[in-house]
Amino acid sequence: MTSPERGALVEIVGSAIDLHRLVAHVQHDGIGAIATFLGTVRDLNDGRHVTGIDYEAYQPMAEAEMRAIAAELGVQWEGLSVAMVHRVGTLAVGDVSVAIACAHARRAPAADAMRTAIEALKVRVPIWKREHYVDGEWTWVDPTLRAVAP
Amino acid sequence: MTSPERGALVEIVGSAIDLHRLVAHVQHDGIGAIATFLGTVRDLNDGRHVTGIDYEAYQPMAEAEMRAIAAELGVQWEGLSVAMVHRVGTLAVGDVSVAIACAHARRAPAADAMRTAIEALKVRVPIWKREHYVDGEWTWVDPTLRAVAP
Amino acid sequence: MMNVPVLVFASYADAFGARTVDVPVPLPCTVADVVSAMRALPGGHRLPGHVLVAVNHAYAKPGTAVDHGDEVALIPPVAGG
Amino acid sequence: MMNVPVLVFASYADAFGARTVDVPVPLPCTVADVVSAMRALPGGHRLPGHVLVAVNHAYAKPGTAVDHGDEVALIPPVAGG
């Protein structure tokens, strides 16, 4: 088991995300709860049939923002361990685009931090996605233009 | 990818829990978010140094209650996929005692259902734990006697 | 009087020194009758003032009927997770 | 005037037809100066009314200074997750 003091695992990756690696990173003997989040490419978005998504990141800034989010979470919930990994490139329906793991001695901070992390990632981290549809069209998704529940 | 209509995965098991199996169970092409919870044995509880925990379940009723929880979650969040597995037997510090995965098209229902699931499990499912401490003492944990934040 | 086998777990199993306790009650009876009879058995004094009972894998009320073939269990405060 | 290389992504890269745009500005200048100059370049009319800018991997304000060696990037509405 690893030490609770290790830093956050924060990465932009170009291939499949291994959830076990995130869980292993945040786990240590002092934690009692690990909350994780996986974002996956779904076959329907805003009523359109999706065939795949290209993810693009401004990698150094994306990793800097994710490190900043992890640091802020650690201030809000003392003793929190965090791992955040986002995938870029061409993803198919069902592929995991983002994985987050938050571990804490107690379950409420772990779950609350996980939820806060994904919300922060979605508004701050410079990552973009181009959705491809069955009709051959594609679009860069702009969440500021939509009023869809999270 | 599997059909969204499949039933919940609900199990009491006697050996290590494989989180990937839960994730694979709830994942299908229509979901965009998977929230998971792992409960682990931590080395300190209520200020006492823990060396391990024996978990015991009333297995048929525990599985029935978990199925009932999964069904209730499915009513509250339509389209939700649920997996809940609890381990019994002798666990060491760091071992995973319970794993929950909730998948939904959107992240808020997935995260909220995961949180609701673990809270319901802790108050309804007939599972007990005997904590062993470094001084050789042990006790059956009774959450009704404590006022500790979750 | 019949002997109804009642499943006990965790601290209740420690109290009775067994996983199953044969409880003498007239059948049919109620959950409350079963609990009262158990308090009079060796170890029964260690049960708390309020005891949860399940009949056929579902939480039951004090007035719930118990008859031949029902699976009765005492449920100590749960601590899963 | 100097040419400051500005990184563009996603729909903004499509607008300019490039991943990096050389933007003629006097240095030092501000983020607002860079954005104004970019609106005058081919494709710049496709930028929205409000554009987020990062300087050295951090979100910047319109008045943030830009000088030699700074890494400047336009940040379209993000859509990670």
Side-chain angles (χ1 to χ4, degrees):
Chain A
M1 290 293 125
T2 58
S3 147
E5 287 79 17
R6 71 191 306 180
L9 169 67
V10 160
E11 282 179 2
I12 300 291
V13 298
S15 54
I17 297 174
D18 178 9
L19 177 59
H20 276 175
R21 195 164 71 90
L22 282 83
V23 169
H25 182 89
V26 299
Q27 193 167 23
H28 60 78
D29 287 356
I31 65 107
I34 305 170
T36 80
F37 179 85
L38 295 175
T40 62
V41 177
R42 70 173 186 270
D43 58 7
L44 199 68
N45 194 21
D46 286 348
R48 302 188 72 173
H49 289 275
V50 174
T51 56
I53 297 183
D54 301 322
Y55 279 94
E56 177 179 332
Y58 180 17
Q59 181 160 350
M61 181 176 171
E63 292 182 346
E65 283 293 319
M66 290 196 291
R67 274 192 297 272
I69 291 168
E72 290 164 22
L73 296 173
V75 170
Q76 191 166 356
W77 291 284
E78 196 187 341
L80 188 76
S81 303
V82 179
M84 307 178 77
V85 177
H86 204 295
R87 183 175 173 184
V88 293
T90 299
L91 276 68
V93 171
D95 283 348
V96 172
S97 55
V98 60
I100 295 173
C102 292
H104 195 272
R106 296 178 299 113
R107 67 187 182 281
D112 292 346
M114 175 274 271
R115 189 67 197 281
T116 304
I118 182 61
E119 300 301 329
L121 183 145
K122 283 180 172 273
V123 298
R124 290 171 53 176
V125 178
I127 297 172
W128 303 275
K129 62 179 172 187
R130 180 165 52 180
E131 281 186 345
H132 296 269
Y133 308 105
V134 286
D135 57 11
E137 293 189 8
W138 56 263
T139 189
W140 289 103
V141 174
D142 181 353
T144 65
L145 301 178
R146 299 186 298 178
V148 174
Chain B
M1 289 296 126
T2 57
S3 148
E5 288 80 16
R6 73 190 304 181
L9 169 66
V10 160
E11 282 178 3
I12 300 290
V13 299
S15 54
I17 297 174
D18 178 9
L19 178 59
H20 277 174
R21 194 163 73 90
L22 281 81
V23 168
H25 183 89
V26 298
Q27 193 167 22
H28 59 80
D29 288 356
I31 64 108
I34 305 171
T36 79
F37 179 86
L38 294 174
T40 61
V41 177
R42 71 173 185 273
D43 58 7
L44 200 66
N45 194 21
D46 285 348
R48 301 188 73 174
H49 290 276
V50 175
T51 57
I53 297 182
D54 301 321
Y55 279 94
E56 177 178 332
Y58 179 18
Q59 181 160 350
M61 181 176 171
E63 292 182 347
E65 282 294 318
M66 291 197 290
R67 276 193 296 273
I69 291 168
E72 290 164 22
L73 296 173
V75 169
Q76 189 165 358
W77 291 284
E78 195 186 343
L80 188 76
S81 302
V82 179
M84 307 177 79
V85 177
H86 203 296
R87 182 175 174 185
V88 293
T90 299
L91 277 69
V93 171
D95 284 347
V96 173
S97 55
V98 61
I100 295 172
C102 292
H104 195 272
R106 297 179 299 112
R107 66 188 181 282
D112 292 345
M114 174 275 272
R115 190 65 196 282
T116 305
I118 182 62
E119 299 301 330
L121 183 146
K122 282 177 172 275
V123 298
R124 290 171 53 176
V125 178
I127 297 172
W128 303 275
K129 62 179 171 188
R130 179 165 52 180
E131 282 186 345
H132 295 269
Y133 307 104
V134 285
D135 57 13
E137 293 189 8
W138 57 264
T139 189
W140 289 103
V141 175
D142 180 353
T144 65
L145 300 179
R146 299 187 298 178
V148 174
Chain C
M1 299 289 264
M2 300 285 298
N3 272 333
V4 171
V6 176
L7 304 177
V8 288
F9 299 93
S11 59
Y12 295 178
D14 292 348
F16 289 101
R19 317 288 295 176
T20 308
V21 179
D22 287 324
V23 181
V25 279
L27 286 183
C29 69
T30 67
V31 158
D33 295 332
V34 172
V35 173
S36 293
M38 293 184 78
R39 293 189 189 283
L41 296 177
H45 66 284
R46 292 172 61 184
L47 291 176
H50 179 69
V51 176
L52 280 176
V53 177
V55 176
N56 300 327
H57 309 151
Y59 288 105
K61 296 175 178 171
T64 300
V66 173
D67 209 338
H68 295 279
D70 287 333
E71 183 169 315
V72 182
L74 298 198
I75 309 295
V78 303
Chain D
M1 300 290 258
M2 300 287 296
N3 273 332
V4 171
V6 175
L7 304 176
V8 288
F9 299 92
S11 58
Y12 295 178
D14 293 348
F16 289 101
R19 316 287 297 175
T20 307
V21 179
D22 288 324
V23 181
V25 280
L27 287 182
C29 69
T30 67
V31 158
D33 296 332
V34 172
V35 173
S36 293
M38 292 184 79
R39 293 190 189 282
L41 297 177
H45 66 285
R46 292 172 61 186
L47 291 176
H50 179 71
V51 176
L52 280 176
V53 177
V55 176
N56 299 327
H57 309 149
Y59 287 105
K61 295 175 179 171
T64 300
V66 173
D67 209 338
H68 297 279
D70 287 334
E71 183 168 314
V72 182
L74 298 198
I75 309 294
V78 303

